[in-house]
Amino acid sequence: MVLGNYKSVVAARSTDNEILKGAQDGGIVTQLFAYALEEGIIDGAIVAGPSDEPWKPEPVIATSKAELLAARGTRYTLSPNISLLKEATRSYGLDRIGIVGTPCQMQAVRKAQLYPIGMRDVPDKIALAIGIFCMENFPYQGLEAMVEDHCNVKLESVKKLDIGKGKFWAYTERGAVAQIPLKVTHKYEQPGCHVCLDYVSNLADVSTGSVGAPDGWSTVFVRTNAGEDAWSKAIGAGCFETKPIEEVKPGLDLVKKLATDKITKNQKTLEARATFGVGKGLRNPYI
Amino acid sequence: MEPSEGKGSTEGVQKPTPASATRPEPVEVSKEETVAEKPAKTAEVKTEKAQPTPRPKRKPSDIDVEKKVENTKEDMPVVEKITVGHVHLSGCTGCLVSFADNYEGLFKILDDYADLVYALTLVDVRHIPEMDVALVEGSVCLQDKSSVEEIKEAREKAKIVVALGGCAAYGNITRFCRGGQWNQPQMESYVPINELIDVDLYIPGCAPTPQQIRNVCIMAYLLLKGTDEQKELAGAYLKPLMDLAQRGDEACGCDLMYDVINQGLCMGCGSCAAACPVRAVSMEYGKPNIDRDLCIKCGACYAQCPRSFFNFDVMNEFEGISELIKGVME
Ligand SMILES: Cc1cc2nc3c(=O)[nH]c(=O)nc-3n(C[C@H](O)[C@H](O)[C@H](O)COP(=O)(O)OP(=O)(O)OC[C@H]3O[C@@H](n4cnc5c(N)ncnc54)[C@H](O)[C@@H]3O)c2cc1C
Ligand code: SF4
Ligand code: SF4
Ligand code: SF4
């Protein structure tokens, strides 16, 4: 099933304006972590924090709302959040870890739990894994080329980057908007994304993305018992306003379509890799 | 060194290198009526002649095994346990300590699922018995005759041979030995056990984690004693670790380059950096950079990478499997 197992799916957004201001979509990730932190569901969360290069994320362990706020918004380049997973239990002494990541990073979290080969004491300490939807990602220098060479905007002056409606968008601090068609960005995609068989973070506790929901809102899948527990408490505490997914446009059909497109395309890539050379192929990690 | 024929004075000299310094003395069981006891400590190596002591007719191992059966706890589930042994070659005992670091989980495993029938450090059995699973820690020193014998015997006596930890699986730090160390300067060749025997399953890492050892023990139990459904799950779970044993016995941080990045598979998650016990892997612009001088060749980074193996049939069931593991450990 292209959308994975889930208990419920809704359109939602945070009720906290401070969070919404700098969030990518409905502020789901930042809001849910902020609530979980406050309630002691997690002791801290591994998020994509700022670094000294513009739009280059640096994984950090956020243990305060301020640190969560500083990590809001999507950076379309690699943030190796899993690199801190063991460290979070050690230097930071977290017993209940929150972590956000792309679908491949959610896969990494589950592998760390089921096959903790180099992940001592990690398996029992994952309290809330929030997955984001993901079609592809870019190396930093690729993002730089897309923004500076193609959009003709300096990375330093960018306020928000977004992918939507078939385009890549760059919004500057001063209000300029640049956009390029996604077919221009394809060549900068990270090769590892072309064998990726998950669009909506099937292995997360809660997963979220913009697709399916109206602007400023998010689509949210609640998948596991841990996810349901945190999500229902947060709803009870008034953290989110929600709408049934059936009542919003474009709705779940678009999510399903994009997930199917991605998986079908990447399955083909895997098949092509199997016969890449002459009587020789490239490795398939799934068999 | 030339292994001595007699069981007397020179026997004590034939003893561990620093790499296996913590390894308890393997005592050979002999048919002879009297046999020299080996000195228990390396400190006593200089003793001119070990004192011959009379041996009991029955091997200590026989006595111990019988005792174990008598002691079987009443509240144990009716199902049979599997038998597990720990075979200690040239390793630092870190793997065994890691197993013990399951704390009460270790007792749970030993109470309900596995009898520890051999472990020189923990069990008073001096000769490798028949067993279901042999957890082999450490590489084999080619110049240590008893180690070579022991690994071969482990293969004969065990249904499943597990390379427990980086040294047994890949040589790990013992790969760097060039001999010349006291008090066995001539011992210089340490090889992963795969070079001498067929190995069924790998648990890489230095040290392997308590939770990974626990999971393998539980899955081995389910594979041998579970219901059909559990057997299927355990088989699927263990398969990638069995495939690792087939993949080869050389490991390095370089595997991330050769077998992940060079293959167009890396997606920059950072699992490798988290897994490395010596912080040889750092993430630079989202890709692993390996400090090759730091790497001790434990194999954890590559095995932890979601793009080395990722079996959806198992991973998709992560919630159920995690609950199952939690359940059986309670
Ligand atoms: C590379 C990438 C591709 C995406 N593709 C799609 C898509 O095709 N369709 C879709 O609907 N949504 C996609 N998303 C998700 C979307 O852009 C939002 O991140 C998501 O909706 C969460 O928004 P929010 O307002 O709830 O989160 P916020 O409250 O803004 O928080 C976002 C969280 O994500 C973390 N984060 C930001 N960048 C990264 C990163 N590179 N790696 C890991 N964590 C990061 C931040 O630290 C923050 O904690 C993508 C995200 C990324 C990073
Ligand atoms: S497309 Fe897949 S592999 Fe690439 S970043 Fe997104 S989830 Fe990871
Ligand atoms: S663990 Fe992640 S970052 Fe490291 S090599 Fe594998 S895919 Fe790349
Ligand atoms: S890089 Fe680190 S984890 Fe990988 S083999 Fe070397 S020591 Fe082990």
Side-chain angles (χ1 to χ4, degrees), chain A residues 53 80 82-83 86 110-111 114-118 120-121 190 192 225 273 283 285-286, chain B residues 101 209 211-212 215 237 259 263 269 274 285 287 303-305 307-311 319:
Chain A
E53 285 183 77
I82 310 301
S83 64
K86 190 164 69 180
R110 300 317 177 190
K111 184 167 177 182
L114 293 185
Y115 295 94
I117 293 159
R120 187 182 170 115
D121 296 345
Q190 159 180 250
N225 292 335
R273 287 171 57 93
R283 202 166 62 76
Y286 306 121
Chain B
D101 279 349
T209 66
Q211 295 82 15
Q212 184 60 67
N215 290 2
Y237 177 89
D259 283 354
Q263 287 281 313
C269 65
Y285 289 98
K287 301 282 156 158
Q304 193 67 63
C305 171
R307 294 288 168 86
S308 64
F309 69 83
F310 197 84
N311 43 356
E319 200 179 12

mmCIF file of all heavy atoms in Angstrom, chain A residues 53 80 82-83 86 110-111 114-118 120-121 190 192 225 273 283 285-286, chain B residues 101 209 211-212 215 237 259 263 269 274 285 287 303-305 307-311 319:
data_model
loop_
_atom_site.group_PDB
_atom_site.id
_atom_site.type_symbol
_atom_site.label_atom_id
_atom_site.label_comp_id
_atom_site.label_asym_id
_atom_site.label_seq_id
_atom_site.Cartn_x
_atom_site.Cartn_y
_atom_site.Cartn_z
ATOM 1 N N GLU A 53 26.139 28.291 7.372
ATOM 2 C CA GLU A 53 25.957 28.535 5.938
ATOM 3 C C GLU A 53 24.467 28.670 5.656
ATOM 4 O O GLU A 53 23.661 27.913 6.212
ATOM 5 C CB GLU A 53 26.546 27.383 5.121
ATOM 6 C CG GLU A 53 28.061 27.418 5.076
ATOM 7 C CD GLU A 53 28.641 26.315 4.203
ATOM 8 O OE1 GLU A 53 28.599 26.446 2.966
ATOM 9 O OE2 GLU A 53 29.110 25.319 4.768
ATOM 10 N N PRO A 80 21.562 15.228 8.153
ATOM 11 C CA PRO A 80 21.714 13.835 8.623
ATOM 12 C C PRO A 80 21.267 13.662 10.079
ATOM 13 O O PRO A 80 22.074 13.380 10.966
ATOM 14 C CB PRO A 80 23.210 13.551 8.467
ATOM 15 C CG PRO A 80 23.845 14.798 7.956
ATOM 16 C CD PRO A 80 22.858 15.907 7.989
ATOM 17 N N ILE A 82 19.891 11.404 11.736
ATOM 18 C CA ILE A 82 20.156 10.139 12.423
ATOM 19 C C ILE A 82 21.550 10.137 13.050
ATOM 20 O O ILE A 82 21.810 9.391 13.989
ATOM 21 C CB ILE A 82 20.015 8.938 11.451
ATOM 22 C CG1 ILE A 82 18.697 9.009 10.690
ATOM 23 C CG2 ILE A 82 20.120 7.605 12.183
ATOM 24 C CD1 ILE A 82 17.464 9.003 11.524
ATOM 25 N N SER A 83 22.433 10.994 12.540
ATOM 26 C CA SER A 83 23.801 11.001 13.081
ATOM 27 C C SER A 83 23.810 11.331 14.575
ATOM 28 O O SER A 83 24.777 11.030 15.264
ATOM 29 C CB SER A 83 24.692 11.976 12.304
ATOM 30 O OG SER A 83 24.221 13.306 12.467
ATOM 31 N N LYS A 86 22.341 8.201 18.535
ATOM 32 C CA LYS A 86 22.985 7.570 19.690
ATOM 33 C C LYS A 86 23.483 8.641 20.657
ATOM 34 O O LYS A 86 23.384 8.490 21.876
ATOM 35 C CB LYS A 86 24.129 6.667 19.230
ATOM 36 C CG LYS A 86 24.690 5.800 20.337
ATOM 37 C CD LYS A 86 25.542 4.649 19.809
ATOM 38 C CE LYS A 86 26.830 5.135 19.204
ATOM 39 N NZ LYS A 86 27.670 4.028 18.696
ATOM 40 N N ARG A 110 13.833 2.965 12.262
ATOM 41 C CA ARG A 110 13.295 1.619 12.525
ATOM 42 C C ARG A 110 14.381 0.565 12.402
ATOM 43 O O ARG A 110 14.384 -0.427 13.130
ATOM 44 C CB ARG A 110 12.124 1.315 11.589
ATOM 45 C CG ARG A 110 10.959 2.274 11.715
ATOM 46 C CD ARG A 110 10.598 2.633 13.156
ATOM 47 N NE ARG A 110 9.513 3.624 13.216
ATOM 48 C CZ ARG A 110 9.143 4.239 14.325
ATOM 49 N NH1 ARG A 110 9.767 4.022 15.473
ATOM 50 N NH2 ARG A 110 8.151 5.112 14.308
ATOM 51 N N LYS A 111 15.312 0.778 11.463
ATOM 52 C CA LYS A 111 16.421 -0.178 11.383
ATOM 53 C C LYS A 111 17.262 -0.097 12.656
ATOM 54 O O LYS A 111 17.708 -1.117 13.181
ATOM 55 C CB LYS A 111 17.283 0.073 10.147
ATOM 56 C CG LYS A 111 18.379 -0.975 9.993
ATOM 57 C CD LYS A 111 19.073 -0.967 8.651
ATOM 58 C CE LYS A 111 20.195 -2.005 8.639
ATOM 59 N NZ LYS A 111 20.946 -2.024 7.377
ATOM 60 N N LEU A 114 15.277 -2.187 15.210
ATOM 61 C CA LEU A 114 15.201 -3.639 15.025
ATOM 62 C C LEU A 114 16.577 -4.273 14.856
ATOM 63 O O LEU A 114 16.797 -5.420 15.232
ATOM 64 C CB LEU A 114 14.321 -3.978 13.818
ATOM 65 C CG LEU A 114 12.830 -3.655 13.950
ATOM 66 C CD1 LEU A 114 12.068 -4.155 12.731
ATOM 67 C CD2 LEU A 114 12.237 -4.253 15.216
ATOM 68 N N TYR A 115 17.505 -3.551 14.237
ATOM 69 C CA TYR A 115 18.880 -4.031 14.058
ATOM 70 C C TYR A 115 19.842 -2.999 14.648
ATOM 71 O O TYR A 115 20.543 -2.298 13.923
ATOM 72 C CB TYR A 115 19.193 -4.243 12.575
ATOM 73 C CG TYR A 115 18.385 -5.326 11.898
ATOM 74 C CD1 TYR A 115 17.209 -5.021 11.213
ATOM 75 C CD2 TYR A 115 18.806 -6.653 11.907
ATOM 76 C CE1 TYR A 115 16.467 -6.011 10.576
ATOM 77 C CE2 TYR A 115 18.072 -7.645 11.270
ATOM 78 C CZ TYR A 115 16.902 -7.320 10.607
ATOM 79 O OH TYR A 115 16.182 -8.298 9.976
ATOM 80 N N PRO A 116 19.879 -2.888 15.975
ATOM 81 C CA PRO A 116 20.720 -1.848 16.593
ATOM 82 C C PRO A 116 22.193 -2.252 16.604
ATOM 83 O O PRO A 116 22.805 -2.376 17.660
ATOM 84 C CB PRO A 116 20.145 -1.741 18.006
ATOM 85 C CG PRO A 116 19.584 -3.109 18.284
ATOM 86 C CD PRO A 116 19.153 -3.703 16.971
ATOM 87 N N ILE A 117 22.759 -2.465 15.422
ATOM 88 C CA ILE A 117 24.112 -3.013 15.315
ATOM 89 C C ILE A 117 25.140 -2.066 15.936
ATOM 90 O O ILE A 117 26.037 -2.488 16.649
ATOM 91 C CB ILE A 117 24.422 -3.323 13.831
ATOM 92 C CG1 ILE A 117 23.513 -4.466 13.360
ATOM 93 C CG2 ILE A 117 25.897 -3.688 13.640
ATOM 94 C CD1 ILE A 117 23.330 -4.565 11.883
ATOM 95 N N GLY A 118 24.965 -0.774 15.642
ATOM 96 C CA GLY A 118 25.868 0.207 16.252
ATOM 97 C C GLY A 118 25.073 1.242 17.032
ATOM 98 O O GLY A 118 25.454 2.395 17.125
ATOM 99 N N ARG A 120 23.717 1.204 20.381
ATOM 100 C CA ARG A 120 23.536 0.753 21.754
ATOM 101 C C ARG A 120 22.519 1.625 22.498
ATOM 102 O O ARG A 120 22.596 2.857 22.468
ATOM 103 C CB ARG A 120 24.880 0.803 22.484
ATOM 104 C CG ARG A 120 24.809 0.199 23.863
ATOM 105 C CD ARG A 120 26.151 0.309 24.578
ATOM 106 N NE ARG A 120 25.960 -0.066 25.959
ATOM 107 C CZ ARG A 120 26.517 -1.128 26.534
ATOM 108 N NH1 ARG A 120 27.317 -1.897 25.845
ATOM 109 N NH2 ARG A 120 26.276 -1.419 27.786
ATOM 110 N N ASP A 121 21.585 0.979 23.168
ATOM 111 C CA ASP A 121 20.586 1.621 24.028
ATOM 112 C C ASP A 121 19.608 2.542 23.310
ATOM 113 O O ASP A 121 18.830 3.240 23.953
ATOM 114 C CB ASP A 121 21.261 2.403 25.173
ATOM 115 C CG ASP A 121 22.027 1.467 26.100
ATOM 116 O OD1 ASP A 121 21.802 0.239 26.015
ATOM 117 O OD2 ASP A 121 22.853 1.955 26.883
ATOM 118 N N GLN A 190 19.622 14.183 -5.472
ATOM 119 C CA GLN A 190 20.562 13.216 -4.915
ATOM 120 C C GLN A 190 20.271 11.831 -5.523
ATOM 121 O O GLN A 190 19.118 11.382 -5.514
ATOM 122 C CB GLN A 190 20.353 13.224 -3.402
ATOM 123 C CG GLN A 190 20.835 12.012 -2.694
ATOM 124 C CD GLN A 190 20.586 12.084 -1.209
ATOM 125 O OE1 GLN A 190 21.522 12.210 -0.453
ATOM 126 N NE2 GLN A 190 19.327 12.015 -0.785
ATOM 127 N N GLY A 192 20.696 8.831 -4.516
ATOM 128 C CA GLY A 192 20.093 7.870 -3.590
ATOM 129 C C GLY A 192 18.577 7.976 -3.516
ATOM 130 O O GLY A 192 17.893 7.027 -3.126
ATOM 131 N N ASN A 225 0.667 3.350 17.764
ATOM 132 C CA ASN A 225 0.091 3.630 19.080
ATOM 133 C C ASN A 225 0.755 4.841 19.716
ATOM 134 O O ASN A 225 0.077 5.696 20.290
ATOM 135 C CB ASN A 225 0.260 2.417 19.999
ATOM 136 C CG ASN A 225 -0.594 1.245 19.535
ATOM 137 O OD1 ASN A 225 -1.612 1.452 18.862
ATOM 138 N ND2 ASN A 225 -0.171 0.039 19.859
ATOM 139 N N ARG A 273 18.682 -0.747 -12.704
ATOM 140 C CA ARG A 273 19.976 -0.949 -12.050
ATOM 141 C C ARG A 273 20.414 -2.416 -12.102
ATOM 142 O O ARG A 273 21.604 -2.712 -12.155
ATOM 143 C CB ARG A 273 19.908 -0.498 -10.588
ATOM 144 C CG ARG A 273 19.874 1.002 -10.393
ATOM 145 C CD ARG A 273 19.596 1.343 -8.935
ATOM 146 N NE ARG A 273 20.579 0.733 -8.043
ATOM 147 C CZ ARG A 273 21.695 1.332 -7.624
ATOM 148 N NH1 ARG A 273 21.938 2.571 -7.981
ATOM 149 N NH2 ARG A 273 22.539 0.703 -6.843
ATOM 150 N N ARG A 283 23.835 -2.786 -7.040
ATOM 151 C CA ARG A 283 23.282 -3.433 -5.854
ATOM 152 C C ARG A 283 21.861 -2.937 -5.532
ATOM 153 O O ARG A 283 21.564 -1.762 -5.692
ATOM 154 C CB ARG A 283 24.200 -3.163 -4.662
ATOM 155 C CG ARG A 283 24.070 -4.157 -3.543
ATOM 156 C CD ARG A 283 25.219 -4.029 -2.575
ATOM 157 N NE ARG A 283 25.238 -2.720 -1.945
ATOM 158 C CZ ARG A 283 24.407 -2.343 -0.978
ATOM 159 N NH1 ARG A 283 23.477 -3.181 -0.545
ATOM 160 N NH2 ARG A 283 24.485 -1.147 -0.449
ATOM 161 N N PRO A 285 19.412 -2.659 -2.383
ATOM 162 C CA PRO A 285 19.446 -2.805 -0.926
ATOM 163 C C PRO A 285 18.227 -3.531 -0.344
ATOM 164 O O PRO A 285 18.221 -3.892 0.829
ATOM 165 C CB PRO A 285 19.470 -1.356 -0.427
ATOM 166 C CG PRO A 285 18.873 -0.554 -1.532
ATOM 167 C CD PRO A 285 19.188 -1.275 -2.805
ATOM 168 N N TYR A 286 17.208 -3.734 -1.173
ATOM 169 C CA TYR A 286 15.958 -4.276 -0.625
ATOM 170 C C TYR A 286 15.876 -5.796 -0.746
ATOM 171 O O TYR A 286 14.878 -6.385 -0.336
ATOM 172 C CB TYR A 286 14.758 -3.618 -1.309
ATOM 173 C CG TYR A 286 14.809 -2.095 -1.238
ATOM 174 C CD1 TYR A 286 14.822 -1.335 -2.408
ATOM 175 C CD2 TYR A 286 14.845 -1.434 -0.014
ATOM 176 C CE1 TYR A 286 14.869 0.055 -2.346
ATOM 177 C CE2 TYR A 286 14.905 -0.054 0.051
ATOM 178 C CZ TYR A 286 14.912 0.688 -1.117
ATOM 179 O OH TYR A 286 14.972 2.051 -1.059
ATOM 180 N N ASP B 101 25.239 -6.971 29.632
ATOM 181 C CA ASP B 101 24.646 -5.649 29.834
ATOM 182 C C ASP B 101 23.147 -5.601 29.524
ATOM 183 O O ASP B 101 22.535 -4.538 29.568
ATOM 184 C CB ASP B 101 25.378 -4.591 28.997
ATOM 185 C CG ASP B 101 26.658 -4.117 29.674
ATOM 186 O OD1 ASP B 101 26.855 -4.448 30.859
ATOM 187 O OD2 ASP B 101 27.465 -3.430 29.021
ATOM 188 N N THR B 209 25.977 -4.500 20.291
ATOM 189 C CA THR B 209 25.140 -3.912 21.339
ATOM 190 C C THR B 209 24.350 -4.977 22.091
ATOM 191 O O THR B 209 24.002 -6.016 21.529
ATOM 192 C CB THR B 209 24.149 -2.896 20.746
ATOM 193 O OG1 THR B 209 23.228 -3.595 19.911
ATOM 194 C CG2 THR B 209 24.872 -1.834 19.938
ATOM 195 N N GLN B 211 21.325 -4.937 22.845
ATOM 196 C CA GLN B 211 20.005 -5.123 22.229
ATOM 197 C C GLN B 211 20.092 -5.972 20.960
ATOM 198 O O GLN B 211 19.186 -6.748 20.660
ATOM 199 C CB GLN B 211 19.370 -3.770 21.919
ATOM 200 C CG GLN B 211 19.046 -2.938 23.153
ATOM 201 C CD GLN B 211 20.245 -2.167 23.688
ATOM 202 O OE1 GLN B 211 21.269 -2.004 23.033
ATOM 203 N NE2 GLN B 211 20.134 -1.665 24.920
ATOM 204 N N GLN B 212 21.185 -5.841 20.202
ATOM 205 C CA GLN B 212 21.308 -6.655 18.995
ATOM 206 C C GLN B 212 21.544 -8.111 19.367
ATOM 207 O O GLN B 212 20.981 -9.013 18.749
ATOM 208 C CB GLN B 212 22.439 -6.129 18.106
ATOM 209 C CG GLN B 212 22.573 -6.873 16.784
ATOM 210 C CD GLN B 212 21.316 -6.778 15.937
ATOM 211 O OE1 GLN B 212 20.945 -5.723 15.452
ATOM 212 N NE2 GLN B 212 20.613 -7.890 15.779
ATOM 213 N N ASN B 215 18.224 -9.470 20.515
ATOM 214 C CA ASN B 215 17.317 -9.745 19.403
ATOM 215 C C ASN B 215 17.689 -11.029 18.678
ATOM 216 O O ASN B 215 16.821 -11.812 18.295
ATOM 217 C CB ASN B 215 17.308 -8.572 18.416
ATOM 218 C CG ASN B 215 16.636 -7.331 18.998
ATOM 219 O OD1 ASN B 215 16.207 -7.336 20.155
ATOM 220 N ND2 ASN B 215 16.542 -6.277 18.216
ATOM 221 N N TYR B 237 13.908 -12.178 9.821
ATOM 222 C CA TYR B 237 14.722 -11.241 10.604
ATOM 223 C C TYR B 237 16.211 -11.585 10.495
ATOM 224 O O TYR B 237 17.060 -10.721 10.323
ATOM 225 C CB TYR B 237 14.298 -11.271 12.082
ATOM 226 C CG TYR B 237 15.174 -10.371 12.939
ATOM 227 C CD1 TYR B 237 14.840 -9.042 13.123
ATOM 228 C CD2 TYR B 237 16.356 -10.845 13.507
ATOM 229 C CE1 TYR B 237 15.666 -8.197 13.872
ATOM 230 C CE2 TYR B 237 17.185 -10.014 14.245
ATOM 231 C CZ TYR B 237 16.829 -8.693 14.430
ATOM 232 O OH TYR B 237 17.652 -7.863 15.138
ATOM 233 N N ASP B 259 30.363 0.428 -1.292
ATOM 234 C CA ASP B 259 29.103 -0.299 -1.460
ATOM 235 C C ASP B 259 27.847 0.549 -1.281
ATOM 236 O O ASP B 259 26.738 0.049 -1.441
ATOM 237 C CB ASP B 259 29.053 -1.495 -0.497
ATOM 238 C CG ASP B 259 29.907 -2.644 -1.002
ATOM 239 O OD1 ASP B 259 30.422 -2.525 -2.138
ATOM 240 O OD2 ASP B 259 30.062 -3.651 -0.289
ATOM 241 N N GLN B 263 27.794 3.113 -5.291
ATOM 242 C CA GLN B 263 26.673 2.413 -5.922
ATOM 243 C C GLN B 263 25.464 3.330 -6.136
ATOM 244 O O GLN B 263 24.387 2.876 -6.531
ATOM 245 C CB GLN B 263 26.247 1.224 -5.062
ATOM 246 C CG GLN B 263 27.218 0.052 -5.101
ATOM 247 C CD GLN B 263 27.052 -0.775 -6.367
ATOM 248 O OE1 GLN B 263 25.944 -1.111 -6.746
ATOM 249 N NE2 GLN B 263 28.161 -1.078 -7.031
ATOM 250 N N CYS B 269 21.476 9.922 5.549
ATOM 251 C CA CYS B 269 20.727 9.885 6.810
ATOM 252 C C CYS B 269 21.611 10.076 8.038
ATOM 253 O O CYS B 269 21.165 10.582 9.062
ATOM 254 C CB CYS B 269 19.968 8.567 6.940
ATOM 255 S SG CYS B 269 21.034 7.125 7.059
ATOM 256 N N ALA B 274 26.415 7.697 13.388
ATOM 257 C CA ALA B 274 25.934 7.363 14.729
ATOM 258 C C ALA B 274 26.464 6.009 15.171
ATOM 259 O O ALA B 274 26.751 5.796 16.342
ATOM 260 C CB ALA B 274 24.407 7.355 14.757
ATOM 261 N N TYR B 285 28.558 17.900 4.408
ATOM 262 C CA TYR B 285 27.549 18.200 3.385
ATOM 263 C C TYR B 285 26.651 16.990 3.141
ATOM 264 O O TYR B 285 26.356 16.629 2.006
ATOM 265 C CB TYR B 285 28.204 18.697 2.093
ATOM 266 C CG TYR B 285 28.778 20.095 2.250
ATOM 267 C CD1 TYR B 285 30.121 20.278 2.513
ATOM 268 C CD2 TYR B 285 27.948 21.214 2.189
ATOM 269 C CE1 TYR B 285 30.642 21.554 2.697
ATOM 270 C CE2 TYR B 285 28.458 22.496 2.369
ATOM 271 C CZ TYR B 285 29.806 22.661 2.630
ATOM 272 O OH TYR B 285 30.308 23.922 2.810
ATOM 273 N N LYS B 287 27.080 13.786 3.517
ATOM 274 C CA LYS B 287 27.606 12.466 3.136
ATOM 275 C C LYS B 287 28.712 12.072 4.110
ATOM 276 O O LYS B 287 29.437 12.930 4.613
ATOM 277 C CB LYS B 287 28.170 12.505 1.709
ATOM 278 C CG LYS B 287 27.170 12.921 0.644
ATOM 279 C CD LYS B 287 26.224 11.796 0.256
ATOM 280 C CE LYS B 287 24.946 12.377 -0.300
ATOM 281 N NZ LYS B 287 24.183 11.491 -1.144
ATOM 282 N N ALA B 303 26.763 -2.083 8.215
ATOM 283 C CA ALA B 303 25.619 -2.917 8.589
ATOM 284 C C ALA B 303 24.443 -2.068 9.077
ATOM 285 O O ALA B 303 23.288 -2.430 8.895
ATOM 286 C CB ALA B 303 26.027 -3.927 9.660
ATOM 287 N N GLN B 304 24.740 -0.929 9.712
ATOM 288 C CA GLN B 304 23.662 -0.069 10.213
ATOM 289 C C GLN B 304 23.015 0.743 9.091
ATOM 290 O O GLN B 304 21.859 1.151 9.209
ATOM 291 C CB GLN B 304 24.202 0.893 11.284
ATOM 292 C CG GLN B 304 23.115 1.605 12.077
ATOM 293 C CD GLN B 304 22.327 0.637 12.938
ATOM 294 O OE1 GLN B 304 22.857 0.002 13.832
ATOM 295 N NE2 GLN B 304 21.038 0.487 12.655
ATOM 296 N N CYS B 305 23.731 0.967 8.026
ATOM 297 C CA CYS B 305 23.226 1.799 6.921
ATOM 298 C C CYS B 305 21.937 1.214 6.347
ATOM 299 O O CYS B 305 21.895 0.039 6.003
ATOM 300 C CB CYS B 305 24.288 1.875 5.823
ATOM 301 S SG CYS B 305 23.712 2.648 4.299
ATOM 302 N N ARG B 307 20.851 1.520 3.601
ATOM 303 C CA ARG B 307 21.059 1.144 2.205
ATOM 304 C C ARG B 307 22.063 0.002 2.048
ATOM 305 O O ARG B 307 22.488 -0.307 0.936
ATOM 306 C CB ARG B 307 21.463 2.375 1.391
ATOM 307 C CG ARG B 307 20.325 3.433 1.288
ATOM 308 C CD ARG B 307 19.209 2.976 0.372
ATOM 309 N NE ARG B 307 17.989 3.773 0.432
ATOM 310 C CZ ARG B 307 17.761 4.885 -0.274
ATOM 311 N NH1 ARG B 307 18.688 5.381 -1.040
ATOM 312 N NH2 ARG B 307 16.587 5.498 -0.195
ATOM 313 N N SER B 308 22.478 -0.623 3.169
ATOM 314 C CA SER B 308 23.210 -1.891 3.023
ATOM 315 C C SER B 308 22.171 -2.994 2.879
ATOM 316 O O SER B 308 22.168 -3.748 1.929
ATOM 317 C CB SER B 308 24.137 -2.153 4.203
ATOM 318 O OG SER B 308 23.418 -2.308 5.423
ATOM 319 N N PHE B 309 21.261 -3.063 3.821
ATOM 320 C CA PHE B 309 20.101 -3.944 3.641
ATOM 321 C C PHE B 309 18.894 -3.271 4.265
ATOM 322 O O PHE B 309 19.008 -2.576 5.277
ATOM 323 C CB PHE B 309 20.324 -5.342 4.236
ATOM 324 C CG PHE B 309 20.394 -5.399 5.736
ATOM 325 C CD1 PHE B 309 19.231 -5.457 6.509
ATOM 326 C CD2 PHE B 309 21.613 -5.410 6.390
ATOM 327 C CE1 PHE B 309 19.295 -5.518 7.899
ATOM 328 C CE2 PHE B 309 21.694 -5.471 7.778
ATOM 329 C CZ PHE B 309 20.520 -5.522 8.534
ATOM 330 N N PHE B 310 17.775 -3.431 3.636
ATOM 331 C CA PHE B 310 16.529 -2.945 4.216
ATOM 332 C C PHE B 310 15.419 -3.881 3.778
ATOM 333 O O PHE B 310 14.964 -3.861 2.638
ATOM 334 C CB PHE B 310 16.231 -1.503 3.786
ATOM 335 C CG PHE B 310 15.198 -0.850 4.672
ATOM 336 C CD1 PHE B 310 15.573 -0.253 5.859
ATOM 337 C CD2 PHE B 310 13.846 -0.888 4.341
ATOM 338 C CE1 PHE B 310 14.623 0.306 6.705
ATOM 339 C CE2 PHE B 310 12.898 -0.330 5.182
ATOM 340 C CZ PHE B 310 13.287 0.271 6.360
ATOM 341 N N ASN B 311 15.017 -4.768 4.682
ATOM 342 C CA ASN B 311 14.026 -5.789 4.359
ATOM 343 C C ASN B 311 12.626 -5.299 4.765
ATOM 344 O O ASN B 311 12.267 -5.347 5.934
ATOM 345 C CB ASN B 311 14.372 -7.109 5.051
ATOM 346 C CG ASN B 311 14.815 -6.919 6.499
ATOM 347 O OD1 ASN B 311 14.941 -5.786 6.979
ATOM 348 N ND2 ASN B 311 15.014 -8.003 7.211
ATOM 349 N N GLU B 319 6.485 -2.185 14.596
ATOM 350 C CA GLU B 319 5.754 -1.959 15.842
ATOM 351 C C GLU B 319 5.450 -3.296 16.524
ATOM 352 O O GLU B 319 5.705 -3.469 17.719
ATOM 353 C CB GLU B 319 4.456 -1.182 15.570
ATOM 354 C CG GLU B 319 3.916 -0.509 16.821
ATOM 355 C CD GLU B 319 2.631 0.289 16.575
ATOM 356 O OE1 GLU B 319 2.015 0.160 15.482
ATOM 357 O OE2 GLU B 319 2.236 1.038 17.488
#
